[in-house]
Amino acid sequence: MMESHIKRQLVIIGGAEDKDGDSVILRDFVRRAGGTKAHIVILTAATELPREVGENYIRVFERLGAENTRIIDTETREDASSSTALEAISKATGIFFTGGDQARITSILKDTEIDVAIHKRFSEGIVIAGTSAGAAVMPDKMIVEGDSQTHPRIETVEMGPGMGFLPGVVIDQHFSQRGRLGRLISALILEPAVLGFGIDENTAMVVTDNQIEVIGEGAVTIVDESEATYNNMGEILKDESLAICGAKLHILPHGFKFDLKTRQPILNNVAVPVASINA
Amino acid sequence: MMESHIKRQLVIIGGAEDKDGDSVILRDFVRRAGGTKAHIVILTAATELPREVGENYIRVFERLGAENTRIIDTETREDASSSTALEAISKATGIFFTGGDQARITSILKDTEIDVAIHKRFSEGIVIAGTSAGAAVMPDKMIVEGDSQTHPRIETVEMGPGMGFLPGVVIDQHFSQRGRLGRLISALILEPAVLGFGIDENTAMVVTDNQIEVIGEGAVTIVDESEATYNNMGEILKDESLAICGAKLHILPHGFKFDLKTRQPILNNVAVPVASINA
């Protein structure tokens, strides 16, 4: 952990991660944060029940041995510039964004002093994690809200700025459980992100520099829109249906890896160009 | 309609099609069956409420002007060889499979005299339609049952023989509404079908020979598994998760067409090879 060559570490969780059993995902986060020596900050900006949600995570992290865990709750943008908050972030070796409403995270935190401080620690190599709403905010463009269980439509999603830890992608959470393929595709067509990640519940994509590893119970569904040969975005009116042709689809469960630069799954630890595997 | 060069006509409906409004899908079926001169047979084998379900369709078809509409209910395989049933099929210009349980359709009808008679009429060019369970039975291999809202797993689906009107594909229904991407992918990996079709509610794929046109409110999601470069089917145990890499994904709403032979969407009425559109 924290070697100087690691540029970024993210644990992006699709929501409803196991907190009482093996806690594979939260365990990975705590290990990356420094294990029993971790200094973890739980950011509860997303939720209107900060005490309840935050203490639930303190319980898990302390069970795993991370005694130095604290909640920073920010109800307002002023809170997000308090010296207490800034000092906690400056010492943090792991930062955890809880679930709730992703629009609360960006409206309270984005472009505040705490945002700058978090990005500084992130660039220094500490791990940032987020679950559900905390996962949605990871890219520079995020799904603010949208409809589940529908086909792609312009009106299916509302997009907005995210926290920018993982630019150039779109992330959706509770993916299989809430039937969000249409919502993810809508987001990909509306914004020029080339990669869409749909993360299942109790599942995480762990980003280390440009490599993603999937851990947990479900899968990560990856849609590569850069491979798409056609969409009808330029031709339709607001209440009409979106079409997409030729997008590439990968569905990766626990243990599978993906290279963000080549946009290819890594099989046998080698990122294999798609065309050559079939031969 | 019924020109000698038409080899097959199918209206495959994702369930919950509009019966009270414009009824775009059922209207298309009735038109293909001969309009006001149609002889329509409603097959209620799938449902345990044949009278109720069947009469609901009679009401719609008669509203659209198809006066010669009758229900053939088959509770047993003996029913499926009755002279009444066979005579109705021999005169039918359109046959409609209702929803219910797809396993009832195949267990009652498959390889009976009525099955042979339906296939004979189908090969003569009459239109066959099916909704929900009636859509699932269209291929030679069908999804008998399975879990929705989950990632791909071997145990997600149970496959079985279908009625064989559209071989070489797998069809799932209520697709976006029930979050069935994982189920469709599981079916595609378990069976050697190269094309998977997920049909939304109140949406149909209309097959004319080798061309598909999407009609209705939602979309048809097409996964081309022949483009996939890897899956882990040969490597995993029964309760583990399936992976797939490099499948091709098309999502086509109303008015879009797809060529079953080239496995490409047809844009501007020309089936364009995927690689050349981007250039």
Side-chain angles (χ1 to χ4, degrees):
Chain A
M1 305 306 109
M2 308 282 290
E3 294 107 312
S4 60
H5 68 274
I6 291 189
K7 291 202 190 70
R8 59 180 175 188
Q9 287 192 84
L10 295 164
V11 178
I12 310 177
I13 310 165
E17 68 284 350
D18 172 32
K19 297 176 192 71
D20 300 310
D22 283 349
S23 307
V24 169
I25 296 166
L26 297 178
R27 186 178 294 269
D28 184 83
F29 165 68
V30 172
R31 198 186 308 277
R32 285 171 179 268
T36 54
K37 293 176 186 147
H39 288 248
I40 295 176
V41 170
I42 300 163
L43 294 173
T44 52
T47 174
E48 293 181 17
L49 301 167
R51 197 56 34 197
E52 193 177 325
V53 171
E55 279 170 5
N56 206 5
Y57 283 104
I58 286 190
R59 184 179 54 76
V60 187
F61 296 151
E62 291 190 343
R63 171 167 66 83
L64 297 172
E67 301 287 343
N68 286 303
T69 297
R70 61 176 300 177
I71 299 166
I72 296 291
D73 183 42
T74 47
E75 289 292 316
T76 64
R77 291 180 68 85
E78 287 66 44
D79 294 346
S81 300
S82 77
S83 57
T84 321
L86 294 173
E87 197 183 324
I89 296 296
S90 73
K91 291 182 183 156
T93 58
I95 294 171
F96 191 93
F97 286 90
T98 71
D101 174 359
Q102 51 262 46
R104 278 181 59 96
I105 299 178
T106 52
S107 66
I108 296 171
L109 298 185
K110 197 165 170 61
D111 300 326
T112 61
E113 289 184 57
I114 202 175
D115 183 13
V116 174
I118 294 167
H119 274 272
K120 179 165 179 293
R121 290 300 286 147
F122 176 57
S123 70
E124 289 164 0
I126 74 155
V127 58
I128 312 275
T131 186
S132 192
V137 297
M138 292 291 179
D140 48 351
K141 305 279 178 64
M142 77 175 185
I143 298 174
V144 178
E145 60 180 348
D147 301 330
S148 300
Q149 301 179 310
T150 179
H151 65 287
R153 290 177 299 116
I154 294 179
E155 290 182 311
T156 294
V157 287
E158 180 191 336
M159 302 297 293
M163 295 296 284
F165 298 110
L166 192 66
V169 308
V170 169
I171 289 171
D172 208 348
Q173 60 283 351
H174 306 281
F175 187 74
S176 293
Q177 287 73 24
R178 297 192 187 169
R180 287 183 165 174
L181 178 66
R183 171 171 139 144
L184 181 64
I185 297 280
S186 303
L188 284 176
I189 296 177
L190 288 173
E191 292 291 346
V194 292
L195 279 175
F197 294 90
I199 311 176
D200 289 349
E201 292 182 356
N202 196 22
T203 308
M205 50 185 261
V206 179
V207 182
T208 308
D209 293 342
N210 284 308
Q211 183 175 292
I212 289 171
E213 180 168 356
V214 179
I215 61 174
E217 185 185 3
V220 174
T221 299
I222 305 171
V223 178
D224 187 345
E225 206 265 329
S226 75
E227 302 267 344
T229 50
Y230 171 82
N231 74 59
N232 63 346
M233 182 63 197
E235 300 163 27
I236 64 170
L237 302 183
K238 193 176 166 192
D239 60 352
E240 294 171 355
S241 297
L242 289 163
I244 189 166
C245 299
K248 190 145 287 182
L249 176 70
H250 315 280
I251 302 185
L252 306 180
H254 185 88
F256 278 79
K257 292 175 182 169
F258 188 85
D259 187 314
L260 274 168
K261 280 224 155 154
T262 63
R263 296 197 310 273
Q264 301 294 345
I266 302 169
L267 301 171
N268 303 318
N269 292 317
V270 182
V272 186
V274 164
S276 72
I277 309 177
N278 230 0
Chain B
M1 304 306 109
M2 307 282 290
E3 295 107 311
S4 59
H5 68 276
I6 292 189
K7 290 200 191 71
R8 58 180 175 188
Q9 288 192 84
L10 295 164
V11 179
I12 310 177
I13 310 165
E17 69 282 352
D18 172 31
K19 297 177 192 70
D20 301 309
D22 283 349
S23 307
V24 169
I25 296 166
L26 297 177
R27 185 178 295 269
D28 184 83
F29 165 68
V30 171
R31 197 186 309 276
R32 285 171 179 267
T36 54
K37 292 175 186 148
H39 287 249
I40 295 175
V41 171
I42 300 164
L43 293 173
T44 51
T47 175
E48 294 181 16
L49 301 166
R51 195 59 30 199
E52 193 177 325
V53 172
E55 279 172 5
N56 205 7
Y57 282 105
I58 286 190
R59 185 180 53 76
V60 187
F61 296 151
E62 289 190 345
R63 172 168 65 81
L64 297 172
E67 301 287 345
N68 286 303
T69 298
R70 59 176 299 179
I71 300 167
I72 297 291
D73 183 40
T74 47
E75 289 291 316
T76 64
R77 290 180 69 83
E78 287 67 45
D79 293 348
S81 300
S82 77
S83 58
T84 321
L86 294 173
E87 196 183 325
I89 296 296
S90 73
K91 289 182 184 158
T93 58
I95 295 171
F96 191 93
F97 287 88
T98 70
D101 175 358
Q102 50 263 46
R104 280 180 57 99
I105 299 178
T106 52
S107 65
I108 295 171
L109 298 186
K110 195 162 171 64
D111 300 326
T112 61
E113 288 185 57
I114 204 176
D115 183 13
V116 174
I118 294 167
H119 273 274
K120 179 166 181 291
R121 290 300 287 147
F122 176 57
S123 70
E124 289 165 0
I126 74 155
V127 59
I128 313 276
T131 185
S132 194
V137 298
M138 292 291 180
D140 48 349
K141 305 278 178 67
M142 77 175 184
I143 297 174
V144 178
E145 60 180 349
D147 300 330
S148 299
Q149 299 179 312
T150 180
H151 66 288
R153 291 178 298 117
I154 293 179
E155 290 183 310
T156 294
V157 287
E158 180 191 337
M159 302 296 293
M163 295 296 284
F165 298 111
L166 191 65
V169 309
V170 169
I171 290 172
D172 208 348
Q173 60 280 352
H174 305 282
F175 187 75
S176 293
Q177 287 72 24
R178 297 192 187 169
R180 288 184 164 173
L181 179 66
R183 171 171 139 143
L184 181 64
I185 298 281
S186 303
L188 283 176
I189 295 177
L190 289 174
E191 293 290 346
V194 293
L195 279 174
F197 294 89
I199 312 176
D200 290 348
E201 293 182 354
N202 196 21
T203 308
M205 51 186 261
V206 179
V207 181
T208 308
D209 293 344
N210 285 306
Q211 183 173 294
I212 289 170
E213 180 167 357
V214 178
I215 62 174
E217 186 184 2
V220 174
T221 298
I222 305 171
V223 178
D224 187 345
E225 206 265 331
S226 75
E227 301 266 345
T229 51
Y230 171 82
N231 74 59
N232 63 346
M233 182 64 197
E235 301 163 27
I236 64 170
L237 301 184
K238 194 177 167 191
D239 61 352
E240 295 171 355
S241 296
L242 289 163
I244 189 168
C245 299
K248 190 144 283 180
L249 176 70
H250 314 280
I251 302 183
L252 306 180
H254 184 90
F256 278 79
K257 292 175 183 170
F258 188 85
D259 187 314
L260 274 168
K261 280 223 155 155
T262 62
R263 297 197 309 273
Q264 301 293 347
I266 302 168
L267 301 172
N268 303 318
N269 291 320
V270 181
V272 187
V274 163
S276 72
I277 307 176
N278 231 0

Short mmCIF file of all heavy atoms in Angstrom, two decimals, chain B residues 125-172:
data_model
loop_
_atom_site.label_atom_id
_atom_site.label_comp_id
_atom_site.label_asym_id
_atom_site.label_seq_id
_atom_site.Cartn_x
_atom_site.Cartn_y
_atom_site.Cartn_z
N GLY B 125 -46.55 -19.86 -44.82
CA GLY B 125 -46.47 -18.40 -44.81
C GLY B 125 -47.39 -17.68 -43.86
O GLY B 125 -47.37 -16.45 -43.77
N ILE B 126 -48.23 -18.43 -43.08
CA ILE B 126 -49.11 -17.69 -42.16
C ILE B 126 -48.31 -17.18 -40.97
O ILE B 126 -47.24 -17.69 -40.66
CB ILE B 126 -50.31 -18.54 -41.67
CG1 ILE B 126 -49.86 -19.58 -40.63
CG2 ILE B 126 -51.08 -19.14 -42.83
CD1 ILE B 126 -50.99 -20.01 -39.71
N VAL B 127 -48.86 -16.15 -40.34
CA VAL B 127 -48.14 -15.51 -39.24
C VAL B 127 -48.41 -16.24 -37.92
O VAL B 127 -49.56 -16.59 -37.62
CB VAL B 127 -48.51 -14.00 -39.15
CG1 VAL B 127 -50.01 -13.80 -38.95
CG2 VAL B 127 -47.73 -13.32 -38.03
N ILE B 128 -47.34 -16.45 -37.16
CA ILE B 128 -47.45 -17.00 -35.82
C ILE B 128 -47.03 -15.89 -34.85
O ILE B 128 -45.98 -15.27 -35.04
CB ILE B 128 -46.49 -18.19 -35.60
CG1 ILE B 128 -46.57 -19.20 -36.75
CG2 ILE B 128 -46.72 -18.84 -34.23
CD1 ILE B 128 -47.68 -20.20 -36.65
N ALA B 129 -47.83 -15.65 -33.83
CA ALA B 129 -47.48 -14.66 -32.81
C ALA B 129 -47.46 -15.32 -31.44
O ALA B 129 -48.12 -16.34 -31.22
CB ALA B 129 -48.48 -13.51 -32.82
N GLY B 130 -46.70 -14.74 -30.54
CA GLY B 130 -46.70 -15.21 -29.16
C GLY B 130 -46.29 -14.08 -28.24
O GLY B 130 -45.46 -13.25 -28.61
N THR B 131 -46.88 -14.06 -27.07
CA THR B 131 -46.54 -13.02 -26.10
C THR B 131 -46.07 -13.66 -24.80
O THR B 131 -46.60 -14.69 -24.38
CB THR B 131 -47.74 -12.08 -25.84
OG1 THR B 131 -47.31 -11.01 -24.98
CG2 THR B 131 -48.90 -12.80 -25.16
N SER B 132 -45.04 -13.08 -24.21
CA SER B 132 -44.51 -13.56 -22.92
C SER B 132 -44.11 -15.03 -23.04
O SER B 132 -43.21 -15.36 -23.82
CB SER B 132 -45.54 -13.30 -21.81
OG SER B 132 -44.95 -13.46 -20.55
N ALA B 133 -44.76 -15.94 -22.33
CA ALA B 133 -44.44 -17.37 -22.48
C ALA B 133 -44.54 -17.79 -23.94
O ALA B 133 -43.75 -18.60 -24.43
CB ALA B 133 -45.38 -18.21 -21.63
N GLY B 134 -45.50 -17.21 -24.66
CA GLY B 134 -45.67 -17.50 -26.09
C GLY B 134 -44.54 -16.98 -26.94
O GLY B 134 -44.32 -17.44 -28.07
N ALA B 135 -43.77 -16.02 -26.42
CA ALA B 135 -42.56 -15.54 -27.10
C ALA B 135 -41.37 -16.44 -26.77
O ALA B 135 -40.57 -16.77 -27.64
CB ALA B 135 -42.24 -14.10 -26.68
N ALA B 136 -41.31 -16.86 -25.50
CA ALA B 136 -40.18 -17.69 -25.06
C ALA B 136 -40.06 -18.98 -25.85
O ALA B 136 -38.96 -19.47 -26.09
CB ALA B 136 -40.32 -18.00 -23.57
N VAL B 137 -41.20 -19.55 -26.28
CA VAL B 137 -41.19 -20.85 -26.96
C VAL B 137 -40.78 -20.78 -28.43
O VAL B 137 -40.62 -21.80 -29.08
CB VAL B 137 -42.57 -21.56 -26.90
CG1 VAL B 137 -42.96 -21.87 -25.46
CG2 VAL B 137 -43.65 -20.75 -27.61
N MET B 138 -40.61 -19.60 -28.98
CA MET B 138 -40.35 -19.47 -30.41
C MET B 138 -39.05 -20.15 -30.89
O MET B 138 -39.03 -20.75 -31.95
CB MET B 138 -40.34 -17.98 -30.82
CG MET B 138 -41.70 -17.30 -30.71
SD MET B 138 -42.86 -17.93 -31.97
CE MET B 138 -44.34 -16.97 -31.59
N PRO B 139 -37.95 -20.06 -30.14
CA PRO B 139 -36.72 -20.70 -30.62
C PRO B 139 -36.76 -22.23 -30.45
O PRO B 139 -37.73 -22.78 -29.95
CB PRO B 139 -35.63 -20.11 -29.71
CG PRO B 139 -36.27 -18.98 -28.98
CD PRO B 139 -37.73 -19.31 -28.91
N ASP B 140 -35.68 -22.89 -30.86
CA ASP B 140 -35.57 -24.34 -30.62
C ASP B 140 -35.10 -24.64 -29.20
O ASP B 140 -35.41 -25.68 -28.65
CB ASP B 140 -34.66 -25.02 -31.66
CG ASP B 140 -33.36 -24.30 -31.88
OD1 ASP B 140 -33.20 -23.16 -31.39
OD2 ASP B 140 -32.47 -24.85 -32.54
N LYS B 141 -34.34 -23.69 -28.62
CA LYS B 141 -33.96 -23.82 -27.21
C LYS B 141 -34.58 -22.64 -26.48
O LYS B 141 -34.40 -21.49 -26.90
CB LYS B 141 -32.43 -23.74 -27.07
CG LYS B 141 -31.64 -24.73 -27.90
CD LYS B 141 -31.56 -26.09 -27.25
CE LYS B 141 -30.82 -27.09 -28.13
NZ LYS B 141 -29.40 -26.79 -28.30
N MET B 142 -35.29 -22.94 -25.38
CA MET B 142 -35.94 -21.82 -24.70
C MET B 142 -35.54 -21.74 -23.23
O MET B 142 -35.06 -22.70 -22.63
CB MET B 142 -37.46 -21.93 -24.82
CG MET B 142 -38.10 -22.95 -23.90
SD MET B 142 -39.93 -22.91 -24.01
CE MET B 142 -40.37 -24.11 -22.73
N ILE B 143 -35.73 -20.55 -22.69
CA ILE B 143 -35.60 -20.36 -21.25
C ILE B 143 -36.87 -20.89 -20.61
O ILE B 143 -37.95 -20.34 -20.80
CB ILE B 143 -35.40 -18.87 -20.91
CG1 ILE B 143 -34.09 -18.35 -21.54
CG2 ILE B 143 -35.41 -18.66 -19.40
CD1 ILE B 143 -33.88 -16.84 -21.38
N VAL B 144 -36.75 -22.02 -19.88
CA VAL B 144 -37.93 -22.62 -19.23
C VAL B 144 -38.33 -21.77 -18.03
O VAL B 144 -39.47 -21.41 -17.84
CB VAL B 144 -37.64 -24.07 -18.79
CG1 VAL B 144 -38.85 -24.66 -18.07
CG2 VAL B 144 -37.25 -24.92 -19.99
N GLU B 145 -37.34 -21.47 -17.20
CA GLU B 145 -37.55 -20.52 -16.12
C GLU B 145 -36.20 -20.02 -15.65
O GLU B 145 -35.17 -20.54 -16.06
CB GLU B 145 -38.32 -21.16 -14.96
CG GLU B 145 -37.65 -22.36 -14.35
CD GLU B 145 -38.46 -22.95 -13.19
OE1 GLU B 145 -39.42 -22.31 -12.74
OE2 GLU B 145 -38.10 -24.05 -12.73
N GLY B 146 -36.22 -18.98 -14.83
CA GLY B 146 -34.94 -18.43 -14.40
C GLY B 146 -35.14 -17.24 -13.49
O GLY B 146 -36.25 -16.74 -13.31
N ASP B 147 -34.02 -16.80 -12.91
CA ASP B 147 -34.06 -15.67 -11.99
C ASP B 147 -33.88 -14.36 -12.75
O ASP B 147 -33.06 -14.26 -13.65
CB ASP B 147 -32.92 -15.78 -10.97
CG ASP B 147 -33.02 -17.06 -10.15
OD1 ASP B 147 -34.16 -17.53 -9.95
OD2 ASP B 147 -31.97 -17.57 -9.72
N SER B 148 -34.61 -13.36 -12.34
CA SER B 148 -34.42 -12.01 -12.85
C SER B 148 -33.50 -11.25 -11.90
O SER B 148 -33.19 -11.73 -10.81
CB SER B 148 -35.77 -11.29 -12.94
OG SER B 148 -36.63 -11.98 -13.82
N GLN B 149 -33.08 -10.08 -12.32
CA GLN B 149 -32.35 -9.15 -11.45
C GLN B 149 -31.15 -9.79 -10.77
O GLN B 149 -30.90 -9.59 -9.58
CB GLN B 149 -33.32 -8.57 -10.41
CG GLN B 149 -34.43 -7.81 -11.10
CD GLN B 149 -35.43 -7.22 -10.15
OE1 GLN B 149 -35.91 -7.89 -9.24
NE2 GLN B 149 -35.76 -5.95 -10.34
N THR B 150 -30.40 -10.57 -11.53
CA THR B 150 -29.15 -11.15 -11.02
C THR B 150 -28.13 -11.16 -12.14
O THR B 150 -28.49 -11.06 -13.31
CB THR B 150 -29.38 -12.56 -10.47
OG1 THR B 150 -28.13 -13.07 -9.97
CG2 THR B 150 -29.88 -13.51 -11.55
N HIS B 151 -26.86 -11.28 -11.76
CA HIS B 151 -25.80 -11.38 -12.76
C HIS B 151 -25.78 -12.79 -13.34
O HIS B 151 -26.44 -13.69 -12.80
CB HIS B 151 -24.46 -11.01 -12.11
CG HIS B 151 -24.03 -11.97 -11.06
ND1 HIS B 151 -24.64 -12.06 -9.82
CD2 HIS B 151 -23.07 -12.93 -11.05
CE1 HIS B 151 -24.06 -13.00 -9.11
NE2 HIS B 151 -23.10 -13.55 -9.83
N PRO B 152 -25.03 -13.01 -14.43
CA PRO B 152 -25.04 -14.35 -15.05
C PRO B 152 -24.46 -15.43 -14.14
O PRO B 152 -23.38 -15.28 -13.58
CB PRO B 152 -24.16 -14.16 -16.30
CG PRO B 152 -24.21 -12.70 -16.58
CD PRO B 152 -24.28 -12.04 -15.25
N ARG B 153 -25.21 -16.49 -13.98
CA ARG B 153 -24.76 -17.67 -13.25
C ARG B 153 -25.34 -18.89 -13.94
O ARG B 153 -26.39 -18.81 -14.59
CB ARG B 153 -25.29 -17.64 -11.80
CG ARG B 153 -24.67 -16.56 -10.92
CD ARG B 153 -25.27 -16.55 -9.52
NE ARG B 153 -26.70 -16.27 -9.58
CZ ARG B 153 -27.66 -17.10 -9.20
NH1 ARG B 153 -27.36 -18.30 -8.72
NH2 ARG B 153 -28.94 -16.75 -9.30
N ILE B 154 -24.67 -20.05 -13.78
CA ILE B 154 -25.18 -21.28 -14.38
C ILE B 154 -26.59 -21.56 -13.85
O ILE B 154 -27.49 -21.96 -14.58
CB ILE B 154 -24.25 -22.46 -14.06
CG1 ILE B 154 -22.89 -22.27 -14.77
CG2 ILE B 154 -24.88 -23.79 -14.49
CD1 ILE B 154 -21.90 -23.39 -14.49
N GLU B 155 -26.77 -21.35 -12.56
CA GLU B 155 -28.05 -21.70 -11.93
C GLU B 155 -29.16 -20.68 -12.17
O GLU B 155 -30.28 -20.86 -11.72
CB GLU B 155 -27.85 -21.86 -10.42
CG GLU B 155 -27.03 -23.10 -10.06
CD GLU B 155 -26.90 -23.28 -8.55
OE1 GLU B 155 -26.53 -22.30 -7.89
OE2 GLU B 155 -27.17 -24.38 -8.07
N THR B 156 -28.82 -19.59 -12.87
CA THR B 156 -29.83 -18.55 -13.10
C THR B 156 -30.96 -19.04 -14.01
O THR B 156 -32.10 -18.62 -13.86
CB THR B 156 -29.16 -17.30 -13.72
OG1 THR B 156 -28.27 -16.75 -12.76
CG2 THR B 156 -30.17 -16.26 -14.12
N VAL B 157 -30.64 -19.91 -14.96
CA VAL B 157 -31.66 -20.34 -15.92
C VAL B 157 -31.73 -21.84 -16.07
O VAL B 157 -30.74 -22.55 -15.92
CB VAL B 157 -31.41 -19.76 -17.34
CG1 VAL B 157 -31.72 -18.30 -17.39
CG2 VAL B 157 -30.01 -20.08 -17.82
N GLU B 158 -32.94 -22.29 -16.38
CA GLU B 158 -33.14 -23.67 -16.81
C GLU B 158 -33.55 -23.62 -18.28
O GLU B 158 -34.49 -22.91 -18.65
CB GLU B 158 -34.25 -24.31 -15.97
CG GLU B 158 -34.52 -25.75 -16.37
CD GLU B 158 -35.80 -26.29 -15.72
OE1 GLU B 158 -36.22 -25.76 -14.67
OE2 GLU B 158 -36.39 -27.21 -16.31
N MET B 159 -32.82 -24.34 -19.12
CA MET B 159 -33.12 -24.33 -20.55
C MET B 159 -33.86 -25.62 -20.94
O MET B 159 -33.76 -26.63 -20.25
CB MET B 159 -31.81 -24.24 -21.36
CG MET B 159 -30.96 -23.02 -21.06
SD MET B 159 -31.77 -21.45 -21.48
CE MET B 159 -31.85 -21.56 -23.28
N GLY B 160 -34.59 -25.56 -22.03
CA GLY B 160 -35.30 -26.74 -22.53
C GLY B 160 -35.67 -26.54 -23.99
O GLY B 160 -35.44 -25.46 -24.54
N PRO B 161 -36.23 -27.55 -24.62
CA PRO B 161 -36.60 -27.41 -26.03
C PRO B 161 -37.76 -26.44 -26.21
O PRO B 161 -38.69 -26.42 -25.40
CB PRO B 161 -36.99 -28.82 -26.44
CG PRO B 161 -37.29 -29.54 -25.18
CD PRO B 161 -36.51 -28.89 -24.08
N GLY B 162 -37.69 -25.61 -27.25
CA GLY B 162 -38.79 -24.71 -27.58
C GLY B 162 -39.59 -25.26 -28.75
O GLY B 162 -39.43 -26.43 -29.13
N MET B 163 -40.47 -24.45 -29.32
CA MET B 163 -41.33 -24.90 -30.41
C MET B 163 -40.62 -24.83 -31.77
O MET B 163 -41.13 -25.36 -32.76
CB MET B 163 -42.63 -24.10 -30.44
CG MET B 163 -43.51 -24.30 -29.21
SD MET B 163 -44.14 -26.01 -29.02
CE MET B 163 -45.44 -26.05 -30.28
N GLY B 164 -39.50 -24.15 -31.84
CA GLY B 164 -38.65 -24.24 -33.03
C GLY B 164 -39.07 -23.41 -34.24
O GLY B 164 -38.71 -23.74 -35.36
N PHE B 165 -39.80 -22.32 -34.02
CA PHE B 165 -40.14 -21.47 -35.17
C PHE B 165 -38.98 -20.57 -35.58
O PHE B 165 -38.88 -20.16 -36.73
CB PHE B 165 -41.37 -20.60 -34.84
CG PHE B 165 -42.60 -21.40 -34.56
CD1 PHE B 165 -43.14 -21.45 -33.28
CD2 PHE B 165 -43.23 -22.12 -35.57
CE1 PHE B 165 -44.28 -22.20 -33.01
CE2 PHE B 165 -44.36 -22.87 -35.31
CZ PHE B 165 -44.89 -22.91 -34.02
N LEU B 166 -38.11 -20.26 -34.63
CA LEU B 166 -36.97 -19.38 -34.93
C LEU B 166 -35.70 -20.00 -34.31
O LEU B 166 -35.27 -19.62 -33.22
CB LEU B 166 -37.22 -17.98 -34.36
CG LEU B 166 -36.25 -16.88 -34.81
CD1 LEU B 166 -36.40 -16.62 -36.31
CD2 LEU B 166 -36.51 -15.58 -34.04
N PRO B 167 -35.10 -20.96 -35.02
CA PRO B 167 -33.96 -21.69 -34.45
C PRO B 167 -32.72 -20.80 -34.30
O PRO B 167 -32.58 -19.79 -34.99
CB PRO B 167 -33.68 -22.80 -35.49
CG PRO B 167 -34.85 -22.80 -36.41
CD PRO B 167 -35.46 -21.43 -36.36
N GLY B 168 -31.84 -21.22 -33.41
CA GLY B 168 -30.53 -20.60 -33.31
C GLY B 168 -30.46 -19.33 -32.49
O GLY B 168 -29.45 -18.64 -32.48
N VAL B 169 -31.55 -19.00 -31.81
CA VAL B 169 -31.55 -17.79 -30.98
C VAL B 169 -32.13 -18.14 -29.61
O VAL B 169 -32.68 -19.22 -29.41
CB VAL B 169 -32.38 -16.65 -31.62
CG1 VAL B 169 -31.95 -16.41 -33.05
CG2 VAL B 169 -33.87 -16.94 -31.54
N VAL B 170 -31.97 -17.23 -28.67
CA VAL B 170 -32.67 -17.34 -27.40
C VAL B 170 -33.48 -16.05 -27.21
O VAL B 170 -33.01 -14.97 -27.56
CB VAL B 170 -31.68 -17.51 -26.23
CG1 VAL B 170 -32.39 -17.35 -24.89
CG2 VAL B 170 -31.00 -18.87 -26.29
N ILE B 171 -34.68 -16.21 -26.70
CA ILE B 171 -35.56 -15.05 -26.51
C ILE B 171 -35.96 -14.94 -25.05
O ILE B 171 -36.35 -15.91 -24.43
CB ILE B 171 -36.82 -15.20 -27.41
CG1 ILE B 171 -36.43 -15.04 -28.88
CG2 ILE B 171 -37.90 -14.20 -27.00
CD1 ILE B 171 -37.54 -15.36 -29.86
N ASP B 172 -35.83 -13.73 -24.52
CA ASP B 172 -36.36 -13.46 -23.18
C ASP B 172 -37.36 -12.31 -23.28
O ASP B 172 -37.29 -11.50 -24.21
CB ASP B 172 -35.23 -13.14 -22.20
CG ASP B 172 -35.60 -13.52 -20.77
OD1 ASP B 172 -36.78 -13.81 -20.50
OD2 ASP B 172 -34.69 -13.52 -19.91
#
